[in-house]
Amino acid sequence: VDLSVRIGGLALANPVMPASGTFGPELAQVFDLNRLGALVTKSVTPQYRQGNALPRLCETEAGVLNSIGIPGKGLDHFCTQAMAEWRRFTPPLVVSLSADTVAAFADAAARLAATPGVAAIEANISCPNLEEDGRAFAMHPESAAAAIAAMRAACALPLWAKLSPNTADIAAVARAVEEAGADAVVVANTILGLAIDIERMVPKLGAGMGGFSGPAFKPIALRLVWQCAQAVRIPVIGVGGIATPADAVEFLMAGASAVQVGTASFVSPTALPAVLDGLAAFCARRGFARVSDLTGLALPGR
Ligand code: RRO
């Protein structure tokens, strides 16, 4: 089976990669990271960030809430120190980038473009935990387009826009970032949620609200992929509750060209290679010579 896919100028050996923030080089102790279609970093921010108030993670009956708040050492540390470790692996490295302003996004994109080993930027314009009220560039077509257009002008790297489920019309946002020069959309980041400790009578997360992920989010993410795939011509990368090969097949048939696995890697650290192996087995069993033939099969009018 030919597992290769093209995502806006970037050739991947297969369509399976980690979701940003759920993955680091330490997983190399569990499986061969060089089997993955791409590697995706935790979001990097221009400056050092402390992160949000503790606790930052909360498990619910149906999935995980997080309000991590992008702690990190900043872009300079990433380019001069962290990149040395990432360069040991062979799949294309996609660097997730988050920032507070359009200008900061553009400056950081230029710096990443000048850093050897960076294959693409995943523009995280959808972090739900940057502001107390969960505001993000990707909530509105105009602010999403402004951030992507500035990065597009600042660098020639493949540019993926990570979209938000916390918006009224994700198809309009997808069209806006396509128009602004994005090479792909990643659908979707976590959806804002809340859990309350009824004895202490306070939110369980230190920051209050958080981004919700895991199996209960899958039908929603799948619907968002389906809507975006019908709205744009650029590739859609599906993410949200994918844990099994069958989940990945659903996202591809809904219009995705590749998939990301996030929360499932916390449940089982071998979820990524298991999805990859099972996807190849599905194609072989059903007589698909190319995994790319699955993309969009379940879209209306196909
Ligand atoms: O670090 C986080 O709190 C975080 C980010 Br940047 C994001 O994009 N999505 C998420 O669920 N958490």
Side-chain angles (χ1 to χ4, degrees):
V1 178
D2 178 0
L3 293 175
S4 68
V5 293
R6 285 199 77 80
I7 307 291
L10 192 63
L12 308 184
N14 68 70
V16 179
M17 67 187 87
S20 176
T22 64
F23 171 84
E26 66 281 353
L27 267 185
Q29 292 160 24
V30 184
F31 67 93
D32 179 8
L33 300 190
N34 293 334
R35 295 191 58 208
L36 296 173
L39 303 181
V40 185
T41 71
K42 168 75 184 160
S43 287
V44 178
T45 56
Q47 306 297 333
Y48 167 89
R49 281 180 60 90
Q50 174 111 50
N52 285 347
L54 304 180
R56 295 170 173 171
L57 272 180
C58 167
E59 284 187 50
T60 76
E61 48 289 299
V64 178
L65 282 167
N66 87 80
S67 182
I68 310 290
I70 336 183
K73 295 178 178 168
L75 184 63
D76 193 65
H77 178 274
F78 179 82
C79 293
T80 60
Q81 312 289 314
M83 271 304 295
E85 185 147 18
W86 288 113
R87 282 191 201 99
R88 296 174 17 221
F89 304 105
T90 53
L93 181 71
V94 181
V95 178
S96 174
L97 174 63
S98 180
D100 296 323
T101 66
V102 168
F105 262 122
D107 289 348
R111 175 80 193 271
L112 288 173
T115 303
V118 178
I121 295 174
E122 182 177 277
N124 184 2
I125 54 175
S126 50
C127 176
N129 301 324
L130 259 182
E131 309 253 7
E132 257 167 47
D133 59 2
R135 268 179 294 151
F137 288 93
M139 288 179 74
H140 305 288
E142 301 77 18
S143 48
I148 296 301
M151 284 181 261
R152 180 73 298 157
C155 81
L157 284 174
L159 188 56
W160 303 356
K162 186 153 183 186
L163 303 192
S164 174
N166 306 307
T167 181
D169 187 354
I170 199 169
V173 177
R175 282 191 293 268
V177 299
E178 178 181 45
E179 177 74 18
D183 297 297
V185 287
V186 184
V187 180
N189 209 315
T190 50
I191 190 160
L192 278 167
L194 178 71
I196 290 176
D197 181 333
I198 61 170
E199 300 302 329
R200 294 175 54 242
M201 298 182 282
V202 291
K204 286 187 174 175
L205 292 175
M209 302 191 298
F212 182 71
S213 63
F217 184 47
K218 194 188 84 170
I220 299 164
L222 194 61
R223 181 266 296 178
L224 295 167
V225 164
W226 157 282
Q227 290 180 303
C228 289
Q230 293 172 78
V232 298
R233 284 170 301 273
I234 54 177
V236 177
I237 298 164
V239 50
I242 297 173
T244 67
D247 295 337
V249 171
E250 277 194 87
F251 275 79
L252 296 174
M253 289 182 175
S257 297
V259 294
Q260 298 183 339
V261 177
T263 305
S265 292
F266 293 111
V267 180
S268 167
T270 54
L272 276 158
V275 166
L276 176 57
D277 291 340
L279 186 55
F282 177 87
C283 290
R285 176 168 69 80
R286 295 301 305 269
F288 290 100
R290 291 175 295 269
V291 75
S292 59
D293 291 340
L294 297 176
T295 295
L297 284 179
L299 285 171
R302 292 286 303 246

